Amino acid sequence: MAKDIMLYWGSDSAPCWRVMIALEEKQLHGYNNKLLSFDKQEHKCAEVMQLNPRGQLPTMKHGDTIVNESFAACMYLESMFKSQGTRLIPDDPTEQALVYQRMFETNNLQQKIYEVAYYGWLVPEEERHESALKRNKENFITELKLWNGYLEKMGKGSYLAGKNFTMADVVCFPVIGFLSRLGCPKERCPRLMEYYEMVKDRPSIKASWPPTWLEKPEEQYTLKNL
């Protein structure tokens, strides 16, 4: 089954990483894959553009089925291989609701990280304002408090949507990994960092760890002054 899957991906990409975690959790080891360089614009190559007109990664093909968005790819893998590997979406509707909520809330956390960590890169110099960066930092800190509160309510040793590792963890862990990678002060997100330390050695995550992080394991400290 894994041999029918082809994944085009890039390192230092939370969306790519979450699909790779899902593949490992569903025991689809040995899937075909091609690592592409964002810096070299390899994700805009003809091979990818034929499958994904946006020229974005991840791009995944399973047989004749093409799935490009990372959330969609993860959900597809769970649906297609439901009885295989880790069950990532529970049957209970109430439990499902929490998993789905945490999954899609991940977009908020990721966006807030980008607005602070990459402000100087995303915003042209002539459009940058100290007040805007300050507001972004305040919004980011509020978001961190929200996620810390979620884990506090769940109790020590819990995952993002309860006692079991679920799709919420698949899609959100890479984003939390970036918090650590970018040097977010632990006092700003103590429970998130506890969660990170608990989950980072999970086999699926170790097997899909970004190669650039293995080559350069030191933190980047972009968020150290948060």
Side-chain angles (χ1 to χ4, degrees):
M1 290 180 286
K3 294 300 182 183
D4 295 331
I5 296 173
M6 179 66 188
L7 178 71
Y8 299 87
W9 63 287
S11 191
D12 280 342
S13 165
C16 292
W17 194 2
R18 64 174 59 113
V19 176
M20 297 171 80
I21 293 172
L23 284 161
E24 294 294 331
E25 289 289 340
K26 301 311 293 184
Q27 296 183 356
L28 294 165
H29 317 298
Y31 57 90
N32 299 299
N33 71 93
K34 183 175 285 189
L35 173 59
L36 302 175
S37 169
F38 291 112
D39 290 341
K40 296 177 182 178
Q41 293 289 297
E42 290 177 346
H43 56 298
K44 302 296 185 181
C45 68
E47 190 175 357
V48 171
M49 294 296 289
Q50 288 176 357
L51 301 174
N52 187 347
R54 296 182 187 276
Q56 295 176 340
L57 302 179
T59 289
M60 189 182 79
K61 190 172 187 290
H62 176 223
D64 294 327
T65 302
I66 299 169
V67 192
N68 293 321
E69 294 294 326
S70 64
F71 279 52
C74 289
M75 296 292 286
Y76 171 82
L77 290 169
E78 172 63 13
S79 177
M80 194 70 187
F81 302 99
K82 188 173 182 178
S83 62
Q84 181 172 315
T86 307
R87 186 71 176 275
L88 297 173
I89 302 292
D91 285 330
D92 181 77
T94 300
E95 294 176 3
Q96 278 184 18
L98 184 57
V99 170
Y100 292 145
Q101 180 171 324
R102 294 293 178 265
M103 283 175 59
F104 289 100
E105 280 185 295
T106 297
N107 286 326
N108 297 327
L109 179 59
Q110 185 169 340
Q111 183 62 33
K112 296 295 188 296
I113 292 174
Y114 287 173
E115 288 172 355
V116 175
Y118 304 124
Y119 181 77
W121 179 69
L122 293 171
V123 180
E125 185 174 0
E126 65 274 11
E127 297 178 16
R128 296 174 200 163
H129 299 283
E130 189 62 33
S131 59
L133 181 56
K134 180 181 178 181
R135 182 175 63 252
N136 289 348
K137 287 183 177 180
E138 291 173 350
N139 291 338
F140 180 36
I141 291 170
T142 298
E143 188 72 19
L144 290 178
K145 289 179 180 178
L146 190 65
W147 283 88
N148 272 281
Y150 290 157
L151 285 168
E152 189 71 39
K153 185 176 180 179
M154 287 289 178
K156 194 173 180 66
S158 75
Y159 294 100
L160 292 177
K163 63 180 181 180
N164 296 318
F165 185 91
T166 67
M167 191 67 79
D169 304 285
V170 169
V171 303
C172 194
F173 178 83
V175 176
I176 295 173
F178 268 91
L179 284 177
S180 177
R181 175 74 171 173
L182 296 174
C184 186
K186 292 185 178 180
E187 62 269 21
R188 288 292 190 189
C189 49
R191 293 309 300 270
L192 280 172
M193 289 301 99
E194 284 180 15
Y195 167 85
Y196 169 78
E197 291 296 330
M198 179 184 79
V199 180
K200 69 182 178 67
D201 290 327
R202 190 174 177 89
S204 64
I205 290 170
K206 291 179 69 175
S208 57
W209 200 261
T212 50
W213 293 16
L214 293 173
E215 295 165 6
K216 297 180 179 180
E218 65 275 5
E219 294 179 347
Q220 296 178 352
Y221 297 108
T222 310
L223 298 174
K224 67 178 180 179
N225 295 320
L226 187 67

